[in-house]
Amino acid sequence: MRTLLTNIHLLCQVEGENEARHIVAGKAMAILPFVENAWLLIENDLIHSYGTMQDIPVIAADKTIDASGRLVLPSWCDSHTHLVFAASRDQEFVDRIKGLSYEDIARRGGGILNSAAKLNAISEDELYAQSYHRLLQLISQGTGAIEIKSGYGLSVEGELKMLRVIRKLKENIAIPIKATLLAAHAYPIDYKEDHDGYLNLIINQLLPIVATEGLADYMDVFCEKGFFSVSETDRLLEAGWKYGLKPKIHANQLYYSGGVQAGIRNNAVSVDHLECVGEEEIAALKSGNTIPTLLPAAAFFLGIQYQPARKIIDAGLPVCLASDYNPGSCPSGNIPLLLTIACTQLKMTPEEAINAVTLNGAAAMELANSHGTIKKGKKANLIITRKMSSFAQIPYDFGNNPVEKMILNGKIT
Ligand code: NIG
Ligand code: FE
């Protein structure tokens, strides 16, 4: 099956056949390579070739789509979500408006523990149905690869239930899904005073099952004051490595908690959140290959300080952006809105922000060989936008969905 897109106004984030960009960093993030007035040929599920309309060869295609006035981009790669959850936490949203902080709510048993109680009370089928619906909504907004975490089970059965739901999503939805074990998201009530007991449960009971059933790709820990300490994080990540789970961790959201350094020390694929980043964190990031992943939609929703994206990029580092979709700190996985927040609040240019959710998002899920750019041989997971004149219009026209059509595995959805 060959599908040809013609008259594309801007074909964005293109890569030549002999290029191998696995991530973009520093000044290079300001460049989003594009072809104006382009064609693109898809063969089965892969990108076959592209070029300019002036030089279009004779192409036999089964289907031709006229993309006049539209942009075509690689679909978004959202490398940090908690999309599998049981219920809304809108009451906590109202409590925060009235003055309580995220930590106040967590201390009185709300927050993650509230989500855990709700998740343990519903069936796997119900959890799957809700999560499936959410994922379809994200796809309609341009997401074409995603990472999903556990972390609202906080018990062996609850965490396995979440990971099995993620596995079922993988089986039924045609985009790459990476699964992350986040049992260390909060201490469950029964283990509030027995941290060792919970760490032992994760390491000795949960991890072996997760590994045997192949239920997770990564291991996450909420490394933060009041949640998991640096030494607890080290212990958990070392245990994860023994089972082949690479770390991707929550770090430095609320405090300068040493989480960034812990992630780098444990060869994390990424350290995520990073509201609190100073010179020491920058120096540590420069010493390794761990990807700084910023989640500004969560900072927006919680009304806390934003991540210093400029400082990180200007230090020559890459920045990845991800949604953090979850019922507490960010009940939205809308990437176009995330791009607006990144541009207006973090002062990232549209080029930098789009690089951060395409190629760098793919890199943060170890998918850069197959996703994140428009390159011969990569997966044809693509966005065709509405009519628009420039890629700045995606973050500019905020609140509106830029996506007109999604192509997944070469098929128009
Ligand atoms: O990434 N910070 C920790 N975890 C999530 C929020 C989880 C929740 O509140 O349910 C986050 O923001
Ligand atoms: Fe998160």
Side-chain angles (χ1 to χ4, degrees):
M1 172 79 183
R2 298 180 118 211
T3 304
L4 178 65
L5 310 188
T6 57
N7 302 313
I8 303 164
H9 170 44
L10 297 173
L11 180 65
C12 304
Q13 189 62 302
V14 292
E15 206 179 348
E17 238 181 284
N18 298 320
E19 286 179 78
R21 293 190 303 144
H22 291 292
I23 193 156
V24 266
K27 287 197 172 70
M29 286 197 70
I31 301 161
L32 189 68
F34 64 88
V35 179
E36 210 171 334
N37 195 20
W39 59 270
L40 172 77
L41 179 64
I42 297 164
E43 190 169 66
N44 300 324
D45 59 334
L46 300 179
I47 294 164
H48 180 276
S49 45
Y50 63 84
T52 59
M53 286 304 290
Q54 289 92 310
D55 304 317
I56 188 167
V58 177
I59 295 173
D62 303 290
K63 188 178 173 74
T64 299
I65 298 173
D66 180 3
S68 296
R70 289 157 175 86
L71 276 50
V72 173
L73 305 104
S75 56
W76 319 129
C77 296
D78 189 353
S79 67
H80 181 135
T81 83
H82 308 250
L83 169 128
V84 173
F85 58 86
S88 139
R89 301 216 310 260
D90 49 280
Q91 184 53 47
E92 293 177 7
F93 166 64
V94 177
D95 292 343
R96 278 192 291 104
I97 294 168
K98 292 181 177 162
L100 287 183
S101 72
Y102 181 77
E103 289 166 281
D104 294 333
I105 291 167
R107 266 192 297 268
R108 61 173 203 185
I112 295 164
L113 295 183
N114 177 2
S115 281
K118 291 185 167 131
L119 186 130
N120 282 295
I122 69 167
S123 71
E124 192 169 312
D125 286 349
E126 169 60 10
L127 190 60
Y128 174 75
Q130 288 196 34
S131 308
Y132 178 84
H133 174 77
R134 278 180 210 123
L135 187 48
L136 290 192
Q137 189 191 19
L138 298 193
I139 290 171
S140 74
Q141 294 162 348
T143 299
I146 198 166
E147 180 262 14
I148 309 175
K149 301 172 192 298
S150 69
Y152 294 125
L154 308 184
S155 62
V156 172
E157 315 77 70
E159 290 293 305
L160 291 175
K161 176 158 84 178
M162 291 188 76
L163 292 170
R164 288 179 182 136
V165 165
I166 299 171
R167 182 170 61 190
K168 201 162 159 198
L169 292 172
K170 275 191 209 186
E171 288 162 2
N172 291 300
I173 295 192
I175 67 169
I177 299 177
K178 295 279 182 156
T180 300
L181 174 66
L182 176 57
H185 200 187
Y187 280 99
I189 296 160
D190 290 351
Y191 291 93
K192 217 173 162 64
E193 306 304 328
D194 179 16
H195 286 195
D196 259 358
Y198 190 53
L199 299 188
N200 287 336
L201 179 132
I202 296 175
I203 294 168
N204 301 327
Q205 292 186 46
L206 188 53
L207 263 173
I209 305 175
V210 170
T212 310
E213 295 192 23
L215 285 169
D217 304 289
Y218 301 113
M219 174 92 169
D220 196 344
V221 176
F222 186 13
C223 179
E224 191 58 88
K225 228 160 110 181
F227 291 85
F228 291 80
S229 70
V230 166
S231 61
E232 290 165 348
T233 301
D234 280 335
R235 197 177 150 203
L236 287 160
L237 297 185
E238 278 163 27
W241 265 116
K242 289 201 183 113
Y243 289 98
L245 301 190
K246 295 184 187 174
K248 268 173 83 66
I249 70 166
H250 283 73
N252 293 45
Q253 178 183 16
L254 307 171
Y255 299 99
Y256 287 84
S257 51
V260 168
Q261 290 86 337
I264 293 159
R265 192 169 53 245
N266 287 285
N267 288 313
V269 174
S270 67
V271 282
D272 302 16
H273 265 296
L274 311 193
E275 279 80 347
C276 302
V277 167
E279 294 313 318
E280 280 180 36
E281 284 75 16
I282 297 271
L285 285 164
K286 290 190 81 162
S287 72
N289 292 319
T290 296
I291 301 170
T293 295
L294 312 185
L295 314 172
F300 164 78
F301 192 70
L302 291 180
I304 63 173
Q305 63 180 316
Y306 285 103
Q307 298 83 357
R310 283 263 56 91
K311 200 155 90 180
I312 301 173
I313 296 172
D314 294 345
L317 287 160
V319 156
C320 167
L321 287 165
S323 73
D324 198 20
Y325 190 10
N326 76 78
S329 65
C330 188
S332 164
N334 185 318
I335 299 292
L337 179 59
L338 170 70
L339 292 172
T340 302
I341 297 170
C343 293
T344 59
Q345 307 304 307
L346 275 58
K347 306 296 176 205
M348 293 174 74
T349 64
E351 289 87 343
E352 288 171 334
I354 293 172
N355 270 315
V357 289
T358 54
L359 181 55
N360 290 1
M365 293 186 277
E366 301 179 288
L367 289 171
N369 284 333
S370 54
H371 294 77
T373 63
I374 292 183
K375 180 181 180 182
K376 181 178 171 67
K378 281 199 177 185
K379 275 274 176 216
N381 280 13
L382 307 166
I383 294 168
I384 305 179
T385 68
R386 291 183 276 110
K387 284 195 173 185
M388 54 180 70
S389 57
S390 72
F391 33 74
Q393 280 209 343
I394 299 174
Y396 166 84
D397 191 15
F398 83 99
N400 291 313
N401 188 1
V403 176
E404 186 172 272
K405 284 193 181 79
M406 279 296 281
I407 298 183
L408 294 180
N409 301 315
K411 294 197 185 82
I412 298 150
T413 61

